[in-house]
Amino acid sequence: MNQDRLRLDLAGLAEEVTPVDLRDRALRTSRRLGIQRAVATSAAALVVLAAATGTALAIRPDGQGAVPAPAGPSVTSTWPPVEVTPTPSPSDSASPTGSPVKPASVLGGTRYYLETPASTKARIHAVRGSSDQVVYQISSAPTGCESNTITVSPDGKRVAWVQDSTDDGASGVLMAGTIGKPGSTKLLEDVNCLGARPLVWQGGDLLMVHKKTQQSVLFDLAANKRVNGDPGQETDRCWSADGRWLAAMGEGSKPYVSDGTQSRQYSYTPPKDEAAHWDGWRAQSVSMDGRYVAVGWQPTDVSREDGSFAVVDTTTSKVVDLPGKGEIWSIMFTVDNKVIVTRRTGISVLDSTFAPLATATKPTTSGVLLAYVP
């Protein structure tokens, strides 16, 4: 092939080729890719929005956006409630060392104590946790009727006592007040103020007292009147905190418990080495089911005696073996089925089966435990 022929053939081929602008092609390709990415991004956003609102959407294959869903019943999407886990307070959290924090006190209610009067004022303290407040004050002489009769209702709402009269401290006027409020009301005259427990509560409103003539009177403090009917000839009465179960000495000085529909007798023999110093024993507290009674000594003089030292099972007449060590001062059955055992060394809190629950500290103002309200 000669050189002239080759040049002519190449020139003819060049005339048949169409020039291509590569820059324009690159720009078009870039725009097309950008549109596709935008459509894909919009479609993804619509899918997320549809999931959040419960709406069905269809995406056109040609990238022109969403089309309406076919006609049909509307659907309302209900979100489940969000469960929020409360942030534990420092008292509920574990300590930095990983050891668990002590649980809240099982004796979280209010204890009412009578501070033994040292001068002319008897004070009732409300003790709750670390708080100790004087909630009522009564003018009183250390040896007068007041100090021997002051009592708080099992619900912690009322206080009652006998105010001295003119017969050398043997009787007086029955008075009542409201815990936390000043003032008092006269209820009944010629009320006896001598003996171990001259005033005994039956629930939160009814109070058993004795007239100077030894007649028993059941008085309704809420209605400010005597309850009609003979309250019976039992002695040494004591009721459970809700006023349902009665423990008393019946005919022939036989101890029994009753809720009005059922009754059972039991027996108890106090320790012989102590009996000579006392004038017998009596029930001081009754469990909510009437099965157990806490017993204490009767004094040989005319002063109050709130202490108790043993628990008797009225179904078997057996003494309950209480856990703990130290001399027992008093035992109280509470309305929430706990047992508060006050010892010389401190306070033990037991459950209804007498299993230990916790211990508590006695108040600095040493006195008689009158009531406990959960």
Side-chain angles (χ1 to χ4, degrees):
M1 177 179 298
N2 57 39
Q3 296 294 328
D4 294 336
R5 181 63 180 173
L6 179 59
R7 283 194 296 270
L8 290 173
D9 290 339
L10 290 173
L13 182 61
E15 290 177 356
E16 295 177 359
V17 175
T18 303
V20 177
D21 189 342
L22 295 178
R23 179 178 177 275
D24 291 342
R25 179 176 294 181
L27 291 175
R28 286 196 299 272
T29 301
S30 177
R31 283 196 297 270
R32 185 170 63 253
L33 290 174
I35 292 172
Q36 290 176 351
R37 291 192 186 101
V39 170
T41 303
S42 300
L46 288 172
V47 170
V48 173
L49 180 61
T53 59
T55 304
L57 297 175
I59 307 300
R60 290 184 180 178
D62 58 2
Q64 295 183 13
V67 296
S74 61
V75 178
T76 302
S77 177
T78 303
W79 289 85
V82 179
E83 212 170 288
V84 179
T85 302
T87 303
S89 64
S91 59
D92 297 331
S93 305
S95 65
T97 59
S99 59
V101 175
K102 293 176 64 177
S105 171
V106 295
L107 203 60
T110 303
R111 287 171 282 159
Y112 293 91
Y113 287 91
L114 171 62
E115 179 187 355
T116 305
S119 56
T120 59
K121 290 287 185 181
R123 298 178 176 86
I124 295 175
H125 292 250
V127 178
R128 188 180 184 92
S130 59
S131 172
D132 185 338
Q133 296 181 336
V134 175
V135 292
Y136 205 87
Q137 298 190 66
I138 299 169
S139 297
S140 169
T143 58
C145 278
E146 293 84 2
S147 61
N148 199 58
T149 57
I150 295 172
T151 181
V152 171
S153 59
D155 58 10
K157 295 180 180 179
R158 297 181 173 86
V159 56
W161 69 95
V162 177
Q163 183 173 285
D164 260 340
S165 61
T166 57
D167 58 354
D168 297 327
S171 67
V173 179
L174 178 64
M175 307 290 293
T178 302
I179 292 293
K181 297 182 179 179
S184 59
T185 303
K186 293 182 179 180
L187 301 178
L188 190 64
E189 294 184 350
D190 297 326
V191 176
N192 176 47
C193 67
L194 303 179
R197 296 187 72 183
L199 307 183
V200 181
W201 293 96
Q202 181 181 353
D205 295 335
L206 303 180
L207 187 67
M208 175 67 71
V209 303
H210 293 87
K211 297 281 285 184
K212 187 164 59 174
T213 59
Q214 298 304 311
Q215 175 192 8
S216 297
V217 175
L218 191 59
F219 202 90
D220 188 337
L221 271 68
N224 193 7
K225 65 178 183 180
R226 295 173 57 163
V227 176
N228 293 330
D230 184 357
Q233 300 304 314
E234 303 91 347
T235 60
D236 301 336
R237 298 177 184 87
C238 178
W239 279 273
S240 56
D242 61 354
R244 178 186 173 194
W245 280 91
L246 166 69
M249 292 287 185
E251 186 177 353
S253 297
K254 295 180 179 179
Y256 74 96
V257 292
S258 175
D259 66 350
T261 60
Q262 55 182 317
S263 179
R264 58 176 173 267
Q265 290 186 346
Y266 66 97
S267 61
Y268 171 68
T269 302
K272 293 182 179 180
D273 57 344
E274 292 281 342
H277 305 290
W278 304 93
D279 191 20
W281 61 275
R282 60 171 294 164
Q284 298 280 32
S285 186
V286 187
S287 65
M288 296 296 289
D289 58 2
R291 178 173 177 177
Y292 301 100
V293 293
V295 298
W297 293 112
Q298 293 267 35
T300 54
D301 57 15
V302 295
S303 62
R304 73 185 297 156
E305 177 60 46
D306 296 278
S308 46
F309 55 85
V311 171
V312 180
D313 186 337
T314 63
T315 64
T316 63
S317 295
K318 293 182 178 180
V319 176
V320 177
D321 185 15
L322 298 177
K325 297 180 180 180
E327 180 186 354
I328 296 176
W329 285 359
S330 70
I331 304 166
M332 176 181 288
F333 294 97
T334 69
V335 73
D336 58 348
N337 291 308
K338 293 185 178 69
V339 187
I340 301 177
V341 181
T342 303
R343 300 177 183 270
R344 182 182 297 276
T345 55
I347 297 172
S348 300
V349 185
L350 314 177
D351 66 13
S352 59
T353 66
F354 304 101
L357 291 176
T359 58
T361 304
K362 292 190 297 184
T364 55
T365 54
S366 177
V368 177
L369 177 60
L370 299 178
Y372 171 74
V373 181

